Amino acid sequence: MVKGQLSYRLALGRRRCIAVAAVLFLFALLALLGGCCGLCWLVDALLFTGSPTTGSAPLTVQFTARDIANASSWSWSFGDGGVSDEQNPSHTYTVAGTYTVALTILAESGKPLDDPGIRTYHDVADDYITVTAPRKIYWTNYGYYTIGRAKLDGTGVDQSFITGAGSPNGVAVDGTYIYWTNYGHDTIGRARLDGSEVDQSFITGASLVDGVAVSGAYIFWTNIFTGTIGRAKLDGSEVNQNFITGARGPVGVAVSGAYIFWTNIFTGTIGRAKLDGSEANQSFIAGAGGPYGIAVDSSYIYWANYGNGTIGRAKLDGSEVNQSFITGASYPHGVAADGTYMYWTNYASGTICRAKLDGTGVNQSFITGASLPHGIAVSPEN
């Protein structure tokens, strides 16, 4: 045997010894960790799956456990108090929130002579399920002194979802609360999305308050009598009734990106300013016919022309103005948009209306039975 061949075989033998030693060390480590439980620690992310893992309540999730040889029991904890002993259970979450899911599987060892007993497999997935609140449409019934509500498809109508409002006009929604203006009391009311914790005087001191909008950490509203836009923090603190001045009959208000928009009903214009209140332009868009409610999405501004029975539209930069984007409305007041549809209130006919964002599919009686509906809002995507 030549010297080179001998060196090669010796090196190969060393590598085989190292490999065998590594395998033996791994088995020893697994034994110290509890046999198969140690192995489960290595692969616990694969112990179960759920589908879907996100969605609005009620959310039904189908869970599937990983196949374990000789498995004899399954113990599920769904994070909301629910449990199951099925192998592949389904579970329905009814309350919005984030939930941690855990599964414990017991299995016979399968080796009664060498390794008798039961092996335990355990897996915990933190914040695995996210349940959001279902999106809804909200509107103010000036004639009923109530806040109405329905699902986005127009079903589940409740004209008295919240009662006791004082001539409610504007309405706005964020992920936690509903806000509305009590025109008759010059206050802003607030309640949780489920209608609880109603406070009709959440913010006071307004002056013929009408429109309301929420964005980020702030709430905004219009004071018709003083010609101002008010602002406060979402907890109701730091109230400033004169955040923006110089408006002419401000009614609707909306916020998008870096700007706040409002309607000047006395001058037929749409105003605009930066979110900090600077660079106010009271005639950002002109030529409206009694503009009332206003809404914005990622591309457009929409407003209700109360005097013309139309819905106007323009790009966010104020270009491509169309004062008759949608026609045939009956004294429209509020307007809202949700990314697929736009909605408006027909004050005279007591209806909630809907159309696609391109102006097609107009339905002037999408929801009926309202009483002098004013403002309208759609809960945001979670």
Side-chain angles (χ1 to χ4, degrees):
M1 181 181 298
V2 297
K3 183 177 181 181
Q5 292 176 327
L6 177 61
S7 299
Y8 171 78
R9 292 189 177 183
L10 288 174
L12 181 60
R14 289 192 206 99
R15 286 197 291 270
R16 286 176 178 171
C17 291
I18 292 172
V20 171
V23 171
L24 292 174
F25 174 77
L26 178 59
F27 277 109
L29 177 61
L30 292 178
L32 290 174
L33 291 173
C36 193
C37 289
L39 181 60
C40 293
W41 175 77
L42 292 175
V43 297
D44 62 353
L46 302 177
L47 199 54
F48 69 84
T49 59
S51 180
T53 57
T54 61
S56 60
L59 178 68
T60 299
V61 181
Q62 177 63 56
F63 291 97
T64 303
R66 174 172 168 257
D67 287 333
I68 298 294
N70 303 313
S72 57
S73 71
W74 298 261
S75 179
W76 294 86
S77 174
F78 301 118
D80 62 348
V83 296
S84 176
D85 59 4
E86 299 179 20
Q87 179 177 359
N88 301 311
S90 65
H91 182 71
T92 300
Y93 294 86
T94 60
V95 178
T98 302
Y99 299 95
T100 294
V101 179
L103 172 62
T104 299
I105 300 177
L106 300 182
E108 296 178 3
S109 67
K111 298 179 179 180
L113 297 178
D114 302 328
D115 189 11
I118 300 297
R119 295 182 178 182
T120 301
Y121 298 77
H122 186 65
D123 191 5
V124 177
D126 293 326
D127 301 332
Y128 187 65
I129 303 296
T130 300
V131 183
T132 58
R135 300 185 71 188
K136 299 272 175 56
I137 313 167
Y138 301 85
W139 61 91
T140 56
N141 284 311
Y142 189 87
Y144 292 149
Y145 305 105
T146 65
I147 309 298
R149 187 182 76 166
K151 293 181 180 180
L152 286 187
D153 62 1
T155 63
V157 176
D158 183 356
Q159 295 290 356
S160 300
F161 174 61
I162 293 175
T163 61
S167 303
N169 272 14
V171 63
V173 188
D174 61 18
T176 307
Y177 292 99
I178 315 161
Y179 307 83
W180 61 92
T181 58
N182 287 311
Y183 180 84
H185 298 160
D186 279 335
T187 64
I188 295 173
R190 188 183 80 164
R192 288 193 172 271
L193 290 181
D194 62 2
S196 64
E197 300 182 16
V198 175
D199 182 356
Q200 296 288 355
S201 300
F202 174 62
I203 293 175
T204 61
S207 182
L208 293 184
V209 63
D210 201 298
V212 61
V214 288
S215 177
Y218 292 97
I219 177 172
F220 304 85
W221 62 91
T222 57
N223 290 310
I224 298 177
F225 185 76
T226 57
T228 62
I229 309 298
R231 190 185 79 164
K233 285 194 171 181
L234 288 183
D235 62 1
S237 66
E238 299 185 15
V239 175
N240 182 355
Q241 296 289 353
N242 300 300
F243 177 63
I244 294 174
T245 61
R248 298 296 305 278
V251 180
V253 62
V255 180
S256 177
Y259 291 96
I260 177 172
F261 304 84
W262 61 93
T263 57
N264 286 313
I265 196 169
F266 296 160
T267 57
T269 61
I270 309 297
R272 189 185 79 164
K274 288 191 172 181
L275 278 184
D276 62 2
S278 65
E279 299 183 16
N281 180 354
Q282 298 292 347
S283 300
F284 177 63
I285 294 174
Y292 218 89
I294 187 170
V296 289
D297 61 19
S298 59
S299 301
Y300 291 97
I301 314 165
Y302 309 87
W303 60 92
N305 284 314
Y306 175 87
N308 297 342
T310 64
I311 306 298
R313 190 183 79 162
K315 285 196 170 182
L316 290 178
D317 62 3
S319 64
E320 299 184 16
V321 175
N322 183 352
Q323 296 290 352
S324 300
F325 176 62
I326 291 177
T327 60
S330 180
Y331 295 101
H333 272 52
V335 62
D338 71 357
T340 303
Y341 293 97
M342 59 179 300
Y343 308 83
W344 63 97
T345 57
N346 277 331
Y347 180 82
S349 62
T351 60
I352 309 302
C353 316
R354 189 181 79 166
K356 290 185 177 181
L357 289 181
D358 61 3
T360 62
V362 174
N363 184 349
Q364 297 286 356
S365 300
F366 177 60
I367 295 173
T368 60
S371 179
L372 306 180
H374 269 242
I376 187 169
V378 179
S379 52
E381 293 183 292
N382 293 276

